[in-house]
Amino acid sequence: MPREDIDSPPQPLCDNHGRRIRYLRLAITDRCNLRCHYCMPEEGVTPVGRRDTLSYEEMTRLARLFPSMGIDKVRITGGEPFARRDCLYLLRALKAVGVADLRLTTNGVETWRHLEALRDLGLSGLNLSLDSLERGRFAAITRRDHLDAVLKTLFNALALGLALKINTVALADLRDEEMRRLAELARDNPITVRFIEPMSFSGLPISVCQQAGRQADATGSAPEANEPLAARLARLFPHADAARPSGVSMVFSPPGFVGKIGYIAGHSRSFCQRCDKIRITAVGMLKNCLYDNGVLDLRRLLRGGATDAEIAQAIRLAVSRRNIDGHRTEQDCARSQQPSMATIGG
C-alpha cells in the first residue's frame, strides 16, 4: 500500500494561524458504561454501528501517517475505550507502528483490570475522569453506582507508578469542601487534579438544557460555582504560586503538595491560542476543534482507495482552514441540539 515515507524528517502540521499541531486525540468508540448527565442522555442513545466505526486496522493506518507531520502524542479516548472489545490490541498495535507517546483517557470502571498491561506496553499517561468522591453524588452524576471501581483504578494505578491525571468537571453543585477533597489527592501523590469548566455537550436539545440550567440555578447550585475557576482555586489555595500553562490547562503546586492542581477553561476557551491538538472521532471524522461538526471524512478516504499521501494532503488542507478559536467555531455551527461528548472523543 503506498504511503508517506515515515522515515523522512517530519514536516510540521501547522494551521492557518501559525499554531503547530503536535497532539492527536483518537476516539475508538462512542459507547460508554456510564451515563454522565453532562455527556449524554440517560436513555435513547443509539450507538454507532460496527461497520460505521473505524476498524483498528484503519486507526493504525492513520496513526502511521501522523509522525511524518510532527505529531508525537496520541491519546486514545471514547466514549469509554474499554467499552470496545480488544482495546489493548489497538494500543499494542499503535506502539508497534512507532507511537512513542501514547496516552489513554478513561472513566476507570473497567480499567483496573488492565493496569498492569498498560504499564507493560509503555503507556505514557492515564487520564481518569472522576467528578466526585461522594458515592451518592457520583451516582447522581453518572447515573451508575461504580465509584468503588473507579477508585480501585485510581489507587492501583498509583501503586503501579503510572503517570496519572484526574479530570473533574466543575459542575454547578460542586461545593468548596468537595473541591478541596479532590484537590487533596495531589498532596501526597504525584498526580495532577484538573477542574474543567462545564461545556455544552450533553446530547440534548438546547432548549431542554436551558430549562435544566434554570432549574439547577433555582435548586441545587452551589453559590461558589458562579466564581471563575481560576479565582476560586486561588481563594482555596491562597499561598500557591501563580498558575502556569500546561497544554490547554493552567496548573500550580500548593505548598506541601507532591502533585499539582489545575483548571481547564473549556467553556470560556481562553486557551485556544495555544491549542496544539486535532481529533478523530470513532466514525473517522477529523475535527479541528471540539466545537466543530467535523472537517474531513477520513473514513470515506480510507475506504475509497485513497493513498496515504492523498490522506495526508487532505489532512493538511483541512487543518489549514482552522478557525481562530472555539467561540467562532461554535457560532459557525449554529446547532439546535448539543452534541454528545461521547460521540466526539472529548
Side-chain angles (χ1 to χ4, degrees):
M1 178 186 298
R3 65 173 188 267
E4 283 200 331
D5 184 357
I6 60 175
D7 297 320
S8 62
Q11 299 298 313
L13 179 62
C14 295
D15 70 14
N16 44 316
H17 304 287
R19 294 171 293 200
R20 183 170 174 179
I21 310 302
R22 302 176 181 270
Y23 175 13
L24 169 67
R25 294 178 68 99
L26 176 60
I28 69 171
T29 183
D30 66 334
R31 297 170 187 261
C32 189
N33 43 20
L34 298 180
R35 285 292 182 273
C36 301
H37 62 72
Y38 58 79
C39 182
M40 66 173 74
E42 184 172 10
E43 298 177 343
V45 178
T46 303
V48 174
R50 182 177 178 182
R51 292 186 62 182
D52 292 328
T53 304
L54 290 187
S55 68
Y56 285 160
E57 290 72 23
E58 290 169 328
M59 292 178 182
T60 304
R61 181 184 171 191
L62 288 173
R64 291 182 64 97
L65 297 178
F66 285 104
S68 68
M69 302 183 196
I71 288 183
D72 51 18
K73 176 180 175 181
V74 176
R75 178 175 298 281
I76 300 303
T77 70
E80 164 52 37
F82 285 108
R84 181 167 178 177
R85 185 179 302 174
D86 295 329
C87 173
L88 286 171
Y89 169 85
L90 173 66
L91 296 175
R92 294 187 180 106
L94 294 176
K95 294 295 289 187
V97 300
V99 177
D101 190 348
L102 181 63
R103 300 168 185 253
L104 179 78
T105 292
T106 178
N107 63 28
V109 173
E110 296 292 335
T111 317
W112 59 271
R113 305 176 190 275
H114 309 290
L115 290 173
E116 290 188 3
L118 294 174
R119 178 200 58 189
D120 293 345
L121 65 83
L123 193 77
S124 298
L126 186 69
N127 281 16
L128 178 65
S129 300
L130 176 60
D131 294 324
S132 181
L133 294 170
E134 299 174 5
R135 190 184 195 101
R137 184 167 179 268
F138 179 94
I141 294 169
T142 66
R143 303 178 175 122
R144 301 291 187 272
D145 184 16
H146 291 320
L147 179 60
D148 289 347
V150 178
L151 293 179
K152 187 174 183 179
T153 291
L154 167 60
F155 292 113
N156 286 3
L158 286 170
L160 289 169
L162 285 166
L164 185 65
K165 293 179 182 178
I166 305 297
N167 289 339
T168 298
V169 179
L171 296 167
D173 64 339
L174 177 63
R175 299 188 180 277
D176 282 352
E177 180 182 357
E178 184 166 19
M179 197 173 212
R180 284 196 189 94
R181 284 186 63 205
L182 285 157
E184 283 287 330
L185 290 169
R187 178 178 292 277
D188 299 317
N189 299 300
I191 64 177
T192 301
V193 179
R194 304 187 301 180
F195 296 95
I196 304 173
E197 289 179 352
M199 295 174 282
S200 304
F201 295 108
S202 67
L204 293 169
I206 290 174
S207 58
V208 173
C209 298
Q210 291 171 338
Q211 177 63 27
R214 287 191 289 269
Q215 291 173 349
D217 291 341
T219 55
S221 291
E224 54 265 48
N226 294 320
E227 190 176 8
L229 275 179
R232 188 175 180 185
L233 289 169
R235 174 174 55 79
L236 293 176
F237 299 95
H239 303 297
D241 293 336
R244 62 186 185 277
S246 176
V248 298
S249 65
M250 299 291 290
V251 299
F252 61 92
S253 292
F257 274 57
V258 174
K260 299 180 177 68
I261 301 170
Y263 61 91
I264 300 176
H267 177 70
S268 53
R269 285 157 268 187
S270 57
F271 54 75
C272 293
Q273 72 276 9
R274 64 179 188 273
C275 181
D276 63 349
K277 71 182 70 171
I278 54 176
R279 292 172 167 80
I280 298 176
T281 70
V283 297
M285 187 63 68
L286 178 71
K287 292 174 66 68
N288 276 330
C289 175
L290 187 62
Y291 286 87
D292 70 33
N293 290 328
V295 296
L296 177 65
D297 187 348
L298 291 167
R299 186 183 64 192
R300 180 180 61 81
L301 295 175
L302 287 164
R303 298 179 184 180
T307 66
D308 286 2
E310 290 169 338
I311 294 172
Q313 182 180 17
I315 291 170
R316 290 185 184 276
L317 180 61
V319 170
S320 75
R321 297 168 175 171
R322 203 172 182 216
N323 272 333
I324 186 65
D325 59 35
H327 293 292
R328 176 61 184 271
T329 300
E330 187 175 25
Q331 290 170 8
D332 289 347
C333 291
R335 302 184 180 110
S336 61
Q337 178 160 328
Q338 294 182 0
S340 166
M341 185 67 83
T343 66
I344 59 180

